[in-house]
Amino acid sequence: MARFETAETAVRRKTNTIEGTVTVSCSVGMAQFGLDQILPRFLQDNPGVTVVQRASNQMEDLIKGGIDVAIRGHMDTLPDSSLIQVKLARVEWHLFCSPEYRGAIEQSDDPAVLADHPALVLGRPRERHQWLLTDYGGQTASLPGRVRLASDDMSTLKNAAAVSLGIAALPSYVCRQDVEAGSLVRILPSWTAGRPQISLLMPSRRGLLPAFEAFLSFLKQELPAALGCDAPTATPRRGR
């Protein structure tokens, strides 16, 4: 199969045709706020390519699921595996609330002013929620928050913050348009709520297919800008 794909790729390159199907796995948030604008543009530029997007917050096995590439966010170094890992960008998470709610918070850059404020939390809530913050000098802070809403959906949390239900920690790109429109404001601007790495994961043999190569090149070039980040210069490595 690998030899057949290599021969097919060589023929398609000579005729300058790119055809095929690419299956991409990503989180719901990445689908809604990262790929929503750039994916249609890729399809317009490549009319012979079909993209199958699987948007889910559950991790899938790439090989068993027949997935060509997965877009994953992670805080720690991923363990080695048979997969190829390409680092795309680091995304900052910020704290957001409505302008009206901001008026109820003490005017200070000290994280302690947020203690016990209602928290809008991504994922399942723990028994006691803690905001884990880091400033740009490397100093860390941990303070309790009272969970008002927990959801797997970033859009729900963002909308809840916009109607003054509490404070949400979300990726900067998710709330960029809302901040520009004035429906959300960033609080504690000297602090972040995390800087996870965004990586592409793929089985190595998928790189032989011209449709996949075109899609991978497009993601490397366009996704960091869509997320409001600079693309890293690190070389690909193996890892899950």
Side-chain angles (χ1 to χ4, degrees):
M1 179 62 71
R3 288 195 295 270
F4 173 79
E5 290 172 347
T6 301
E8 183 183 40
T9 297
V11 171
R12 293 192 182 278
R13 282 175 177 161
K14 288 181 180 180
T15 58
N16 292 321
T17 61
I18 299 179
E19 298 177 348
T21 299
V22 179
T23 301
V24 55
S25 170
C26 65
S27 68
V28 175
M30 180 62 67
Q32 291 178 335
F33 303 106
L35 295 177
D36 59 325
Q37 296 297 320
I38 66 172
L39 189 53
R41 182 150 39 91
F42 171 79
L43 293 172
Q44 289 175 331
D45 294 341
N46 298 274
V49 178
T50 297
V51 173
V52 178
Q53 183 185 62
R54 296 186 186 174
S56 171
N57 293 329
Q58 302 297 319
M59 300 287 282
E60 289 192 74
D61 187 297
L62 272 64
I63 297 176
K64 290 182 179 179
I67 297 168
D68 296 304
V69 59
I71 304 172
R72 297 277 191 262
H74 53 96
M75 293 297 295
D76 302 319
T77 301
L78 295 172
D80 290 338
S81 75
S82 60
L83 301 177
I84 299 296
Q85 176 185 338
V86 178
K87 295 181 179 180
L88 276 188
R90 281 203 174 272
V91 174
E92 288 190 351
W93 284 51
H94 300 157
L95 296 176
F96 298 96
C97 68
S98 69
E100 294 76 16
Y101 193 89
R102 179 69 183 87
I105 301 173
E106 181 182 342
Q107 298 294 319
S108 171
D109 200 40
D110 183 353
V113 300
L114 300 185
D116 296 322
H117 275 267
L120 311 173
V121 181
L122 183 66
R124 295 183 180 180
R126 295 174 180 154
E127 186 174 345
R128 288 183 56 82
H129 179 71
Q130 295 284 326
W131 296 115
L132 302 177
L133 308 177
T134 305
D135 70 5
Y136 291 108
Q139 182 180 357
T140 61
S142 174
L143 58 149
R146 175 172 50 87
V147 177
R148 183 77 192 280
L149 172 65
S151 174
D152 289 330
D153 180 54
M154 291 183 179
S155 183
T156 297
L157 298 175
K158 182 181 67 166
N159 293 337
V163 296
S164 302
L165 289 179
I167 299 168
L170 291 167
S172 57
Y173 66 88
V174 169
C175 299
R176 182 170 53 215
Q177 293 182 354
D178 302 87
V179 171
E180 293 173 353
S183 59
L184 288 177
V185 294
R186 181 184 174 188
I187 54 178
L188 298 183
S190 298
W191 297 79
T192 69
R195 295 185 69 245
Q197 174 74 52
I198 304 297
S199 298
L200 300 179
L201 300 178
M202 67 210 78
S204 58
R205 76 175 185 87
R206 296 295 184 182
L208 298 171
L209 301 177
F212 173 77
E213 288 182 339
F215 187 63
L216 180 61
S217 177
F218 179 83
L219 288 179
K220 289 180 181 178
Q221 181 175 348
E222 301 295 336
L223 189 55
L227 301 179
C229 307
D230 294 327
T233 57
T235 56
R237 72 172 183 86
R238 292 188 178 275
R240 183 177 295 277

